[in-house]
Structures are given as structure tokens and as C-alpha cells.
Amino acid sequence: AQSVTQLGSHVSVSEGALVLLRCNYSSSVSVYLFWYVQYPNQGLQLLLKYLSGSTLVESINGFEAEFNKSQTSFHLRKPSVHISDTAEYFCAVTPGGYNKLIFGAGTRLAVHP
Amino acid sequence: NAGVTQTPKFQVLKTGQSMTLQCAQDMNHEYMSWYRQDPGMGLRLIHYSVGAGITDQGEVPNGYNVSRSTTEDFPLRLLSAAPSQTSVYFCASSTGGWYSSTDTQYFGPGTRLTVL
């Protein structure tokens, strides 16, 4: 069975700091990888996804994630966070060609002045 | 486009009551799904549909029914609510079908349900 583990349920950083949100997955089949973001009182939005090709993927708002097959990881980072990045971040996979998102438990990121 | 819409935003039920959570999308997506979000557990798939008239169970289907009579609508029914169904419910849709694992899913704003 596939599973997704996000290390750290809460992360608190200062504005302008580097943030790293960790995601590891387990799967016996190939997977596609996603990061979704949930701003307060809203639904989830796709932040970025890895399907194939370059292992480093970027979002339009400065986040990036790197797929590491040997470590089964897809960590998300941003070199300099802004207060508006305060949200909950979910790592997810779709295993074996099926359109079924399997989510991690989420990491709540708080960015303070 | 309104995207994915859900009603109501909030609902309080008593144990044993029934209700229907509404979900609609105007993007002509074939695939629609329902998730529940519980603290520390992320989102879990309840039911999904790959087109009108076709539905199937997800990870946590017990206590919930669905139907898909049109492409646009995918209601979720709680037949006899239980406190364990207190959760936030999200509807999502995407363009592809069950084998379109690369698709982006578009989520509605959620329904916060409390069962007393």
C-alpha cells in the first residue's frame, strides 16, 4: 500500500527565512507527486507537481520541490518566505497510474514578522 | 467559471439525522470525488465518479452514499449521521478519468460538518 509521511505537523519561521517542508512516500509502484496548499478557510490548490523529466519543479510563487527517487522524497522549500505563505501544505501521490490522491497529514506553516 | 462549488459551508446535525452535501462544477470535468479532512490525517477519499452514472468507493466509504446523474453535480449523502462523521468535506474534480493520474484536481471550499 502507498503512504505519504510529512515530518513536522507545525513549522514556524520568520519572514524572509528559508523553509523546508519534508515529504517521504512509500510505494511499490511508480508514483506522481504533488504539493497542494490550503490557505485559511479555503479549499486546496495545486502548488506544484512532478510527473517526469527534471527532478526539480518550481511554482510561480517561489516554492520548489525536488524528487529524489532513491530516498523516496519530495521535499518542498522556499528560500525566503512571506507572511502570505502562511497556510497548510499537503504532499500527495497518485500511485500506479490511478487518479487517486493519497495525502500526507499536512504541515501547518506559520510565517511571522 | 465558478469552478467547484459546495453547499452548505457549515452544518450541524444530530446523531441519526440525514443530509446531503451538494457539489457542482462548471468545468465539464469527468472525474469528481469527495474527501474528508480530519486533523492529523490529511484528506481521505470517500467516493469518486468517472462520469455520469458511474461511481465507486474510495478509502472510507462507510456511512456515505453518492450518485452522479449529471456531469456537473456529485452530491454526498449521509443516511444516518454519526459523531465520527464530524469533519470537513471537500469535493474535487479533474478533467481525466480514473487512469489520469497526472491530472490536477480542483477543490471546492469545503463543508464543515458537526454531528452532535
Side-chain angles (χ1 to χ4, degrees):
Chain A
Q2 295 79 26
S3 66
V4 177
T5 302
Q6 291 184 241
L7 194 61
S9 58
H10 290 82
V11 173
S12 181
V13 299
S14 298
E15 190 174 25
L18 164 74
V19 69
L20 176 68
L21 306 183
R22 297 179 185 273
C23 172
N24 288 87
Y25 67 92
S26 65
S27 177
S28 58
V29 297
S30 61
V31 298
Y32 298 113
L33 298 144
F34 303 78
W35 276 98
Y36 280 83
V37 58
Q38 183 180 29
Y39 297 105
N41 300 312
Q42 294 186 27
L44 281 72
Q45 306 172 30
L46 179 69
L47 188 60
L48 47 78
K49 64 182 177 181
Y50 172 77
L51 304 181
S52 64
S54 172
T55 57
L56 183 67
V57 290
E58 299 177 352
S59 72
I60 59 172
N61 58 352
F63 281 92
E64 59 184 27
E66 185 156 21
F67 169 56
N68 188 318
K69 186 174 182 179
S70 63
Q71 297 187 2
T72 60
S73 68
F74 191 52
H75 302 327
L76 180 72
R77 61 177 175 260
K78 187 171 184 179
S80 177
V81 291
H82 190 268
I83 288 178
S84 60
D85 294 322
T86 294
E88 190 158 16
Y89 293 81
F90 292 93
C91 182
V93 303
T94 53
Y98 296 105
N99 192 3
K100 173 188 172 183
L101 281 169
I102 297 173
F103 285 90
T107 297
R108 198 175 294 272
L109 173 65
V111 182
H112 51 82
Chain B
N1 286 354
V4 181
T5 58
Q6 292 183 238
T7 55
K9 290 189 188 303
F10 302 94
Q11 183 70 48
V12 179
L13 292 178
K14 294 181 179 178
T15 297
Q17 287 184 315
S18 63
M19 79 159 296
T20 299
L21 308 185
Q22 300 292 343
C23 173
Q25 52 89 12
D26 61 358
M27 298 175 282
N28 202 32
H29 285 172
E30 289 296 322
Y31 183 86
M32 296 185 73
S33 55
W34 277 101
Y35 292 85
R36 58 177 290 172
Q37 181 183 25
D38 300 296
M41 301 186 74
L43 282 77
R44 293 178 291 168
L45 182 65
I46 305 172
H47 284 285
Y48 66 94
S49 169
V50 297
I54 307 169
T55 64
D56 207 345
Q57 297 180 350
E59 183 184 355
V60 288
N62 291 344
Y64 307 96
N65 276 358
V66 292
S67 60
R68 183 100 178 266
S69 57
T70 67
T71 299
E72 294 77 21
D73 300 298
F74 190 44
L76 178 72
R77 296 184 189 85
L78 284 71
L79 300 178
S80 178
S84 60
Q85 294 178 304
T86 293
S87 186
V88 182
Y89 291 84
F90 289 100
C91 180
S93 72
S94 63
T95 54
W98 182 234
Y99 298 104
S100 297
S101 55
T102 60
D103 283 354
T104 297
Q105 294 204 24
Y106 296 86
F107 286 81
T111 295
R112 188 174 294 271
L113 176 67
T114 301
V115 183
L116 302 175

